[in-house]
């Protein structure tokens, strides 16, 4: 079906070709060097192609071949631990072939064709199987990988073999069709599920401000907007490292090369708290940095999402981080402007909102075709110009996602990390998740959280007064409220991602810390009533011990000690 | 593939830095072009858009004097530059021609100036501490090899002095390696040029430097090429000759203005404040050329300098830069007015690669905690300045008064230092512990207890 045509025009990443009788989104090979591209607009015989590689030196008149197929991702064993560019070319293989710099015109398959995998059937000849059903298993290093019936195939298992196979070899014959361990799926199309569920289990991340204050549900979507240097990447990496998802898909979309190196150095060394295996064993990394071609950047989020869906279909909880969705939107804008399309708001194409919602809609908790339960939680970084979220990408994202972690330049300047503003952030899942927290953390946890939020709210009101008259003018009880909210901020909300102890805070510890602040608060208010001076209440040594406890290796014992000290020290204050 | 085309006399339109040419042979995207004017003088350009019958060419030296009679040749290749080790000690124009009266560069190699992206898999983690001898950088915003750390400045602030001081003092301690500076000037004034040249001479730094000078009165469009020449040279020295290269580029703002000019001439849909929508990608193609590569000895560290129009950090030029670089050193007009050099606004400055380059075995175990503590105390102290202006110092608590004073002491002892004062990291940390001593013990919350015991003498 492939058709040969020629280049008519070259302008940056956009090439116009004639004579290739294209359909939308067909993959084509452009020029003598066969650069890979995708048809994104058709007018008469003129097909506009976004090219995934640099087009310098390409001339009109050079050949263009249409493959007749859409852009697909190869799915099968070997995805985990891979590091791909935006169109699923493995970067280690590219380096082997081309050296340290990315040259053009090399096409490398996403999955290794040589490697053999031990396939164990889970169905027998004669069984009837349907789309998405598991027919066998493979160990992908330490992770169980289910081999599923490809979409569009069903019927009787006519043949199925145990043994060692490459991803291209037939492992089963089903309804007259040969089935291999590798399947292909068009990236721009969501993979089907049987039914979507309401997300009502939190994604536990070990980050106090997230888990306790603004939780994300498994299968939900969160946006994390913030100006440069406010902590989007660090937060996303923390989520990748610590959240209780089984599979991590991390997409570096138009960001820094050195950040990818950081991930590549850290993840293999980090142990999964549950299994003890390296985090990299359950991670897929997509690295299309800012200086790599923009068209491949545009594709990278879809490549990542399709891989995430594939693991969801096996019944895994997957978390997907896209850093940064703004760079993806800008890639759309750049290509759209080369197409001379009518620009929408701030030059973004009119379909920006549509693309964003299609993307976030692929987050879900669902019953898979195979009857398992799986989820994809999506966390998208947004990089608003000047840190001002009134711009189109932030606004269109906030219309879709239900969790908003607002990063704040002021907090970052104060080294309050994570610089997540507790007054403007929100999670619309908090009601849905309340029961889970009450049942799994502590009965009084939801109430404790609300109390903390009220204190923080109260602080911001009192601060306005302090700005006018100074804190000396406040009544004692309000001075204490300020001390308590300071403790909530400094002890609870602040969390140092680089500190070995503080970097991860299990749910029980989050509860213990908050409970202890509450204990201090109750004692402090009583002490005020009993007439104790504010600076003595604020200066009890136990409080200092508490502040430092989170940096201590025996933190949980320290917290208990603080609790005992509080009792003793407040007794002296007459409580 | 260097088959030069026939000569076309088919310029159909001239707009800003662009000419539109009709032609019959296929011309490559980004192909180099030479243009002969009616008076016999020559210009160079590059193809920005190539279709069957028409190409758009960007002229580096500008289009003034070009008319529809100009003749155009397509040179059959994209832009390459000669590189060689002998470039050290040379001063070249913004287009790469000798400016120092010396001979042309004898090429050891000819390299494409656009430069391919480093495969992220090939990158090596940047974690070698570079001691700049400047406390606000070493102590608070540590620079490491392979990092890109810009200086965000404003007109009239001493960013050039700071850049020179860094270039002069920067070293990786305990190592004796080949070090080179590539200095890329874009649209700087003659006076600035003089300052740089004198300083290079005074310190003898020129012998280890390659200087590219595009001056304010040179064609603006040439500026699009100048940093690429510098970075191509840097890549050759770092990754083929194994040198530690520091690239200083000033002023990125002038570069961006040139980009905007080309965009306007092409009648592109402009992005924020008239700058092209692809400016992020374009700047990334410069900044991302910093780094280290596994298995290679050399490295490229970048210090781009940009002046923030109207001192506005949300302006697209600093904003997009900040989104690409690994932190920023921000200069403060307020500190400058107060007579403090270098006037670094520590609160809005940041080095994102600080974590990897500091701590035990790199700088010192207490480094991170000390810097976090100073940040926090300084920020609180600065806040209190606002409050004191309203309610007076008397209404502050004793602890708040200490924080207020700390902010002043910090600016005086840590921020302020001499243009020739080269402080070791130990010097900086010693000052830090000394000034942290003015705070109460319970105000020190971010430093490990054992470090406090070890370094402050406090228990
Ligand atoms: N939780 C944290 N703990 C300690 N430091 C943090 C934390 N979050 C952020 N930081 C600090 O802030 C710096 C910037 O964070 P990060 O790189 O995540 O910003 P960003 O929002 O991704 O910026 P950009 O948009 O430019 O990529 C980090 O290098 C680190 O110093
Ligand atoms: Mg980031």
């Amino acid at each position: 079906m492939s058709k040969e045509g020629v280049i008519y025009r070259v302008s940056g990443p956009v090439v116009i070709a004639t004579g290739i009788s294209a359909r939308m989104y067909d993959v084509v090979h452009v020029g003598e060097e066969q650069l890979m591209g995708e048809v994104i607009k058709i007018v008469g015989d003129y097909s506009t192609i976004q090219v995934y590689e640099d087009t310098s030196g390409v001339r009109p008149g050079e050949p263009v071949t249409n493959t007749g197929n859409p852009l697909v991702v190869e799915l099968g064993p070997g995805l985990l631990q891979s590091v791909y560019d935006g169109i699923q070319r493995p970067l280690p293989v590219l380096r082997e072939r081309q050296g340290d710099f990315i040259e053009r015109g090399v096409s490398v398959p996403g999955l290794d064709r040589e490697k053999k995998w031990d396939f164990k059937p889970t169905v027998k000849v004669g069984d009837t199987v349907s789309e998405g059903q598991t027919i066998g298993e493979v160990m992908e290093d330490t992770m169980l990988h289910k081999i599923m019936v490809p979409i569009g195939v069903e019927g009787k298992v006519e043949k199925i073999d145990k043994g060692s196979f490459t991803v291209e070899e037939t492992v089963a014959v089903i309804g007259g069709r040969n089935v291999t361990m590798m399947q292909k799926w068009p990236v721009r199309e969501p993979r089907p599920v049987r039914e979507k569920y309401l997300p009502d289990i939190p994604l536990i991340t070990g980050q106090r401000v997230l888990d306790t204050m603004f939780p994300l549900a498994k299968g939900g979507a969160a946006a994390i907007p913030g100006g440069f240097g406010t902590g989007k990447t660090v937060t996303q990496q923390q989520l990748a490292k610590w959240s209780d998802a089984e599979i991590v898909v991390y997409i570096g979309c138009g960001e820094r090369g050195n950040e990818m190196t950081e991930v590549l150095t850290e993840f293999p060394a980090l142990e999964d708290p549950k299994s003890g295996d390296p985090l990299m064993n359950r991670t897929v990394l997509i690295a299309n940095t800012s200086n790599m071609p923009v068209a491949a950047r545009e594709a990278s989020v879809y490549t990542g999402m399709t891989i995430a869906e594939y693991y969801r279909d096996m019944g895994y909880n997957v978390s997907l981080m896209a850093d940064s969705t703004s760079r993806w939107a800008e890639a759309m804008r750049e290509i759209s402007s080369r197409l001379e399309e009518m620009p929408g708001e701030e030059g973004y194409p009119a379909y920006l909102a549509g693309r964003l919602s299609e993307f976030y809609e692929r987050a879900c908790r669902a019953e898979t075709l195979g009857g398992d339960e799986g989820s994809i939680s999506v966390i998208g970084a947004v990089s608003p110009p000047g840190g001002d979220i009134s711009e189109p990408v932030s606004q269109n994202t906030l219309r879709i996602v239900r969790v908003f972690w607002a990063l704040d330049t002021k907090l970052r300047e104060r080294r309050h990390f994570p610089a997540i503003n507790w007054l403007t952030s929100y999670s619309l899942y908090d009601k849905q998740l309340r029961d889970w927290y009450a049942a799994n953390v502590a009965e009084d946890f939801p109430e404790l959280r609300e109390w903390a939020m009220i204190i923080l709210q109260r602080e911001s009101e009192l601060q306005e007064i302090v700005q006018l008259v100074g804190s000396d003018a406040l009544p004692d009880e309000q001075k204490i409220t300020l001390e308590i909210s300071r403790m909530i901020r400094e002890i609870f909300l602040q969390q140092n991602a680089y500190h070995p102890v503080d970097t991860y805070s299990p749910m029980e510890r989050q509860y213990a810390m908050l409970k202890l602040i509450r204990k201090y608060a109750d004692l402090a208010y009583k002490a005020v009533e009993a007439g104790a001076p504010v600076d003595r209440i604020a200066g009890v040594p136990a409080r200092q011990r508490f502040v430092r406890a989170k940096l201590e290796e025996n933190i949980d014992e320290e917290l208990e000690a603080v609790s005992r000290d509080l009792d003793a020290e407040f007794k002296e204050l007459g409580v | 593939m260097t088959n030069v085309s026939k000569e076309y006399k088919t310029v159909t339109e001239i707009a800003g830095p662009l000419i539109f040419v009709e032609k019959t042979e296929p011309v490559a995207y980004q192909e180099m072009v030479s243009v002969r004017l009616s008076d016999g003088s020559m210009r160079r350009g590059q193809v920005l858009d190539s279709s069957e019958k028409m190409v758009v060419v960007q002229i580096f030296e500008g289009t003034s004097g070009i008319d529809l009679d100009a003749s155009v040749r397509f040179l059959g290749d994209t832009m390459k530059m000669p590189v060689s080790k002998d470039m050290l000690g040379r001063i070249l124009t913004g287009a790469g021609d000798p400016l120092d009266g010396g001979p042309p560069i004898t090429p050891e190699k000819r390299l494409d100036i656009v430069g391919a992206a480093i495969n992220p898999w090939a990158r090596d983690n940047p974690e070698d501490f570079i001691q700049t001898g400047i406390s606000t950088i070493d102590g608070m915003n540590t620079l490491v090899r392979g990092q890109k750390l810009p200086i965000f400045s404003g007109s009239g602030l001493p960013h050039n002095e700071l850049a020179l001081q860094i270039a002069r003092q920067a070293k990786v301690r305990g190592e004796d390696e080949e070090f080179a500076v590539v200095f890329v000037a874009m649209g700087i004034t003659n006076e600035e040029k003089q300052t740089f040249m004198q300083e290079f001479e005074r310190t003898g730094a020129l012998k280890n430097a390659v200087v590219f000078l595009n001056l304010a009165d040179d064609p603006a469009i040439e500026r699009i090429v100048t940093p690429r020449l510098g970075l191509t040279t840097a890549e050759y020295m770092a990754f083929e000759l194994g040198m530690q290269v520091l690239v200083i580029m000033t002023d990125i703002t002038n570069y961006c203005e040139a980009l905007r000019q080309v965009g306007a001439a092409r009648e592109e849909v402009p992005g924020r404040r008239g700058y092209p929508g692809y400016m992020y990608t374009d700047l990334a193609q410069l900044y991302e050329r910093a780094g280290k590569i596994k298995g290679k000895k050399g490295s490229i560290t970048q210090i781009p300098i940009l002046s923030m129009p109207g001192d506005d950090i949300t302006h697209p030029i600093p904003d997009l830069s900040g989104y690409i670089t690994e932190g920023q050193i921000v200069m403060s007009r307020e500190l400058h007015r107060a007579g403090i050099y270098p006037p670094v606004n520590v609160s809005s400055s940041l080095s994102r690669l600080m974590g990897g380059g500091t701590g035990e075995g790199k700088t010192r175990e207490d480094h991170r905690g000390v810097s976090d503590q100073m940040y926090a105390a300084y920020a609180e102290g600065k806040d209190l300045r606002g409050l004191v202006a309203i309610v007076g110092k008397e209404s502050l608590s004793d602890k708040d008064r200490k924080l207020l004073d700390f902010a002043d002491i910090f600016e005086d002892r840590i921020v302020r230092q001499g243009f020739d004062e080269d402080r070791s990291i130990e010097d900086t940390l010693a000052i830090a512990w000394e000034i942290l001593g003015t705070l109460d013990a319970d105000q020190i919350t971010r430093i490990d207890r054992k470090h406090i015991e070890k370094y402050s003498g406090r228990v």
Side-chain angles (χ1 to χ4, degrees):
Chain A
M1 233 254 5
S2 84
K3 278 266 163 70
E4 291 271 344
V6 292
I7 297 176
Y8 170 77
R9 175 177 173 190
V10 190
S11 168
V14 168
V15 164
I16 299 177
T18 55
I20 56 170
S21 50
R23 293 171 310 184
M24 269 305 260
Y25 299 123
D26 276 352
V27 167
V28 295
H29 295 292
V30 175
E32 310 287 356
E33 290 179 90
Q34 305 238 325
L35 309 181
M36 193 170 154
E38 189 182 11
V39 174
I40 52 169
K41 180 176 165 185
I42 302 171
V43 179
D45 189 33
Y46 294 85
S47 306
T48 303
I49 300 159
Q50 59 174 358
V51 181
Y52 296 126
E53 299 175 79
D54 177 38
T55 53
S56 303
V58 174
R59 293 160 200 267
E62 289 187 26
V64 178
T65 324
N66 183 1
T67 65
N69 295 316
L71 182 65
V72 293
V73 176
E74 295 186 351
L75 302 168
L79 287 169
L80 294 179
Q81 304 184 36
S82 289
V83 183
Y84 292 123
D85 74 356
I87 48 171
Q88 211 202 5
R89 296 186 304 175
L91 292 174
V93 181
L94 288 186
R95 186 179 184 215
E96 253 164 54
R97 302 230 180 134
Q98 313 173 311
D100 297 327
F101 293 86
I102 296 184
E103 311 291 340
R104 324 183 283 188
V106 179
S107 75
V108 183
L111 293 179
D112 191 333
R113 294 294 191 266
E114 319 275 286
K115 188 167 165 120
K116 296 222 174 206
W117 301 90
D118 283 327
F119 174 77
K120 279 201 209 78
T122 54
V123 295
K124 322 179 286 301
V125 172
D127 289 353
T128 304
V129 293
S130 57
E131 295 178 337
Q133 198 177 325
T134 303
I135 55 166
E137 292 171 353
V138 164
M139 284 312 287
E140 213 179 338
D141 210 338
T142 51
M143 296 299 290
L144 181 76
H145 188 116
K146 293 182 179 170
I147 304 298
M148 297 169 287
V149 179
I151 308 296
V153 176
E154 59 187 354
K156 263 211 169 61
V157 179
E158 289 152 29
K159 182 171 179 291
I160 187 158
D161 297 313
K162 180 175 179 350
S164 189
F165 300 97
T166 68
V167 292
E168 284 182 310
E169 285 167 349
T170 303
V171 294
V173 179
I174 295 169
R177 308 261 298 265
N178 288 344
V179 173
T180 61
M181 286 191 277
M182 172 172 73
Q183 38 179 294
K184 296 186 181 175
W185 189 264
V187 293
R188 295 180 195 278
E189 215 175 286
R191 286 174 61 84
V193 292
R194 196 174 287 164
E195 195 189 339
K196 293 196 175 183
Y197 298 141
L198 201 63
D200 58 8
I201 303 172
L203 181 79
I204 297 297
T205 67
Q207 310 304 303
R208 292 185 291 269
V209 62
L210 306 186
D211 293 347
T212 296
M213 300 297 185
F214 310 109
L216 171 62
K218 283 200 178 86
I224 175 159
F228 62 80
T230 47
K232 298 178 289 296
T233 304
V234 173
T235 306
Q236 292 209 324
Q237 291 186 359
Q238 286 295 92
L239 290 175
K241 288 175 189 169
W242 303 113
S243 70
D244 62 349
E246 289 124 352
I247 303 287
V248 175
V249 177
Y250 194 99
I251 310 168
C253 174
E255 293 286 310
R256 303 172 182 84
N258 280 335
E259 284 172 353
M260 295 297 114
T261 317
E262 195 181 324
V263 170
L264 288 170
T265 344
E266 283 186 6
F267 282 26
L270 267 177
E271 279 180 14
D272 177 9
K274 266 178 287 172
S275 65
D277 296 323
L279 171 56
M280 201 61 203
N281 283 16
R282 49 192 186 86
T283 302
V284 184
L285 191 65
I286 299 187
N288 208 95
T289 55
S290 55
N291 56 340
M292 286 160 72
V294 285
R297 189 202 295 171
E298 195 272 335
S300 66
V301 297
Y302 296 106
T303 300
M305 183 58 92
T306 307
I307 293 173
E309 286 176 339
Y310 177 64
Y311 281 96
R312 172 206 62 200
D313 291 345
M314 293 179 211
Y316 282 119
N317 291 307
V318 183
S319 65
L320 177 140
M321 339 279 161
D323 188 9
S324 160
T325 61
S326 293
R327 306 305 165 214
W328 165 43
E330 285 165 6
M332 280 187 239
R333 174 169 72 183
E334 196 168 330
I335 289 155
S336 157
S337 89
R338 302 258 185 191
L339 297 184
E340 285 153 19
E341 288 175 339
M342 181 71 132
E345 229 183 323
E346 295 194 14
Y348 286 102
Y351 46 80
L352 171 73
R355 295 275 166 90
L356 283 170
S357 68
E358 280 161 26
F359 172 72
Y360 283 105
E361 274 301 315
R362 290 172 79 169
C364 67
R365 177 161 158 249
E367 184 185 341
T368 66
L369 294 182
D372 292 312
E373 190 185 310
S375 70
I376 302 179
S377 314
V378 176
I379 300 106
V382 185
S383 316
D388 175 358
I389 60 161
S390 64
E391 54 89 43
V393 182
S394 304
Q395 287 304 312
N396 284 308
T397 304
L398 290 179
R399 271 199 276 281
I400 315 158
V401 302
R402 306 194 58 203
V403 177
F404 171 44
W405 295 324
L407 290 168
D408 189 318
T409 306
K410 288 235 170 58
L411 291 174
R412 120 124 161 89
E413 291 194 350
R414 195 148 312 200
R415 291 303 192 261
H416 174 109
F417 290 123
I420 293 175
N421 184 314
W422 51 91
L423 296 173
T424 50
S425 299
Y426 60 79
S427 163
L428 300 181
Y429 292 111
D430 56 357
K431 303 234 162 38
Q432 239 154 284
L433 297 175
R434 211 187 146 94
D435 291 346
W436 187 94
Y437 282 104
N440 293 280
V441 183
E443 183 86 61
D444 63 340
F445 184 82
E447 181 251 328
L448 204 52
R449 166 188 183 266
E450 269 148 42
W451 169 79
M453 291 297 273
I454 290 168
I455 296 278
L456 289 167
Q457 187 67 46
R458 190 89 186 92
E459 175 190 42
S460 84
E461 295 157 14
L462 290 175
Q463 281 302 348
E464 284 175 24
I465 304 176
V466 171
Q467 287 308 313
L468 295 175
V469 296
S471 55
D472 261 7
L474 294 181
D476 284 359
E477 182 244 320
Q478 293 185 349
K479 283 187 192 144
I480 291 297
T481 303
L482 288 182
E483 293 296 332
I484 295 164
S485 70
R486 190 184 177 105
M487 284 171 76
I488 297 176
R489 283 188 285 113
E490 289 187 351
I491 300 176
F492 194 79
L493 297 181
Q494 284 186 20
Q495 189 171 357
N496 185 349
Y498 300 108
H499 193 280
V501 178
D502 205 22
T503 184
Y504 173 74
S505 202
M507 231 29 250
E508 311 81 69
R509 191 180 297 157
Q510 299 188 24
Y511 173 66
M513 289 170 82
L514 206 51
K515 185 99 179 156
L516 200 50
I517 297 176
R518 179 67 197 254
K519 175 169 181 167
Y520 171 87
D522 291 345
L523 289 168
Y525 285 127
K526 274 194 203 138
V528 169
E529 261 173 52
V534 171
D535 48 347
R536 287 207 49 209
I537 299 174
V540 290
R543 180 173 167 190
Q544 275 324 298
R545 188 162 184 186
F546 193 3
V547 174
R548 322 193 123 273
K550 61 176 181 173
L551 306 182
E552 308 284 348
E553 263 153 50
N554 58 345
I555 167 167
D556 298 315
E557 289 157 42
E558 272 296 301
L559 292 178
E560 281 167 31
V562 170
S563 178
R564 285 193 301 273
D565 287 2
L566 280 176
D567 286 328
E569 288 162 16
F570 272 96
K571 199 167 259 157
E572 282 173 35
L573 292 176
V575 184
Chain B
M1 265 245 300
T2 36
N3 36 357
V4 177
S5 79
K6 66 178 198 201
E7 197 169 69
Y8 291 95
K9 283 179 100 49
T10 46
V11 178
T12 58
E13 189 183 333
I14 306 169
L18 307 181
I19 63 172
F20 297 71
V21 189
E22 276 180 12
K23 49 88 208 186
T24 49
E25 300 151 296
V27 169
Y29 174 63
Q30 303 267 294
E31 184 168 335
M32 292 302 293
V33 178
S34 79
V35 180
R36 195 158 47 82
L37 276 57
S38 348
D39 66 0
S41 64
M42 302 297 290
R43 302 275 168 89
R44 274 175 301 179
Q46 190 173 26
V47 173
L48 287 188
D49 193 326
S50 173
S51 53
E52 227 161 55
K53 296 201 176 59
M54 176 76 83
V55 295
V56 182
V57 179
Q58 152 186 327
I59 306 293
F60 296 131
E61 296 91 344
T63 47
S64 73
I66 300 188
D67 58 22
L68 299 183
D69 286 335
S71 22
V72 176
R73 271 182 202 281
F74 299 98
L75 304 179
D77 205 352
T78 52
M79 190 161 184
K80 303 249 176 8
M81 75 177 290
V83 288
S84 97
K85 189 161 185 177
D86 299 338
M87 292 170 83
L88 286 173
R90 297 297 307 270
I91 302 173
L92 308 167
T93 66
D97 302 319
L99 192 68
D100 51 6
I105 307 298
T106 322
E108 276 158 39
K109 260 196 167 167
R110 295 179 63 81
L111 297 177
D112 204 306
I113 69 158
V114 176
I118 300 179
N119 184 328
W121 180 258
R123 279 184 185 267
D124 202 357
N125 217 14
E127 53 185 12
D128 305 319
F129 166 59
I130 298 181
Q131 180 175 296
T132 65
I134 294 160
S135 294
T136 42
I137 298 178
D138 297 351
M140 310 296 286
N141 298 287
T142 317
L143 174 69
V144 297
R145 255 188 202 161
Q147 183 173 13
K148 40 195 179 295
L149 186 64
I151 298 175
F152 287 7
S153 188
S155 50
L157 297 179
H159 42 263
N160 291 338
E161 285 81 343
L162 182 61
L164 282 168
Q165 190 172 2
I166 295 171
R168 185 174 68 236
Q169 297 180 171
K171 55 180 142 314
V172 170
R173 299 200 309 176
E175 286 189 37
D176 201 18
E177 283 172 331
E178 277 190 289
F179 192 79
V181 173
V182 172
F183 184 84
V184 178
M186 292 162 279
I188 63 167
T189 62
N190 240 305
E191 203 180 307
E192 285 174 302
K193 173 192 151 189
Q194 297 304 337
T195 320
F196 281 120
M197 298 327 307
Q198 270 169 19
E199 180 63 19
F200 276 131
E201 236 149 78
R202 177 177 86 98
T203 58
L206 188 60
K207 67 175 193 303
N208 290 321
V210 189
V211 179
F212 292 89
L213 288 179
N214 164 283
L215 298 179
D217 49 8
D218 286 337
I221 209 73
E222 185 182 284
R223 269 158 226 168
I224 295 186
V225 175
T226 312
R228 293 183 165 82
L229 298 176
L231 289 163
T232 304
T233 309
E235 273 168 3
Y236 175 71
M237 295 188 164
F239 303 130
E240 303 203 20
L241 303 180
M243 305 176 84
Q244 311 304 330
V245 185
L246 177 66
V247 182
I248 296 177
M249 300 191 276
T250 183
D251 179 331
I252 294 290
T253 302
N254 296 333
Y255 171 82
C256 292
E257 294 307 334
L259 274 189
R260 175 157 75 166
Q261 217 181 322
V262 175
R266 292 185 72 183
E267 294 175 8
E268 293 165 346
V269 184
R272 253 174 102 224
R273 302 208 208 170
Y275 294 93
Y278 48 80
M279 194 155 89
Y280 173 83
T281 305
D282 190 281
L283 285 173
Q285 275 158 2
L286 303 183
Y287 296 146
E288 278 290 324
R289 290 172 84 171
K292 286 199 331 183
I293 291 179
K294 285 181 208 154
K296 299 218 160 155
K297 218 172 100 203
S299 65
I300 298 180
T301 309
Q302 284 186 20
I303 302 193
I305 298 170
L306 59 88
S307 44
M308 300 184 279
D311 288 349
D312 176 8
I313 199 167
T314 68
H315 183 281
I317 298 171
D319 191 52
L320 294 178
S321 295
Y323 272 124
I324 304 164
T325 54
E326 283 132 358
Q328 66 280 339
I329 303 293
V330 182
M331 301 283 244
S332 147
R333 197 166 295 279
E334 212 178 304
L335 289 175
H336 180 61
R337 285 211 190 98
I340 293 175
Y341 172 88
V344 173
N345 177 345
V346 169
S347 312
S348 25
S349 301
L350 169 73
S351 163
R352 298 166 197 240
L353 301 183
M354 180 164 181
T358 52
E360 206 174 342
K362 302 276 161 90
T363 51
R364 214 169 70 185
E365 52 184 352
D366 56 328
H367 187 164
R368 187 87 203 186
V370 166
S371 103
D372 281 352
Q373 186 67 60
M374 288 202 292
Y375 260 113
Y378 180 52
E380 286 200 59
K382 281 213 293 192
D383 281 350
L384 289 167
R385 282 181 185 162
L387 186 58
V388 164
I390 304 167
V391 300
K393 202 169 172 175
E394 311 72 51
S395 67
L396 291 188
S397 68
D398 185 45
K399 286 199 192 312
D400 281 354
R401 218 168 296 146
K402 287 193 168 154
L403 286 169
L404 182 69
D405 292 340
F406 180 84
D408 294 335
I409 302 173
F410 178 84
E411 286 171 2
D412 190 48
R413 302 286 314 279
I414 290 280
V415 181
R416 186 199 298 276
Q417 82 183 75
F419 178 61
D420 284 310
E421 186 183 351
D422 187 358
R423 293 183 189 158
S424 71
I425 182 67
E426 289 79 12
D427 294 342
T428 296
L429 289 173
I431 302 173
W433 279 109
E434 201 184 309
I435 67 171
L436 284 172
T438 64
L439 298 177
D440 286 347
D442 65 1
Q443 290 177 299
I444 311 285
T445 54
R446 304 200 179 209
I447 309 178
D448 265 12
R449 202 196 304 267
K450 45 183 194 296
H451 299 156
I452 300 181
E453 283 162 16
K454 184 160 167 194
Y455 295 100
S456 77
R458 253 205 276 239
V459 187

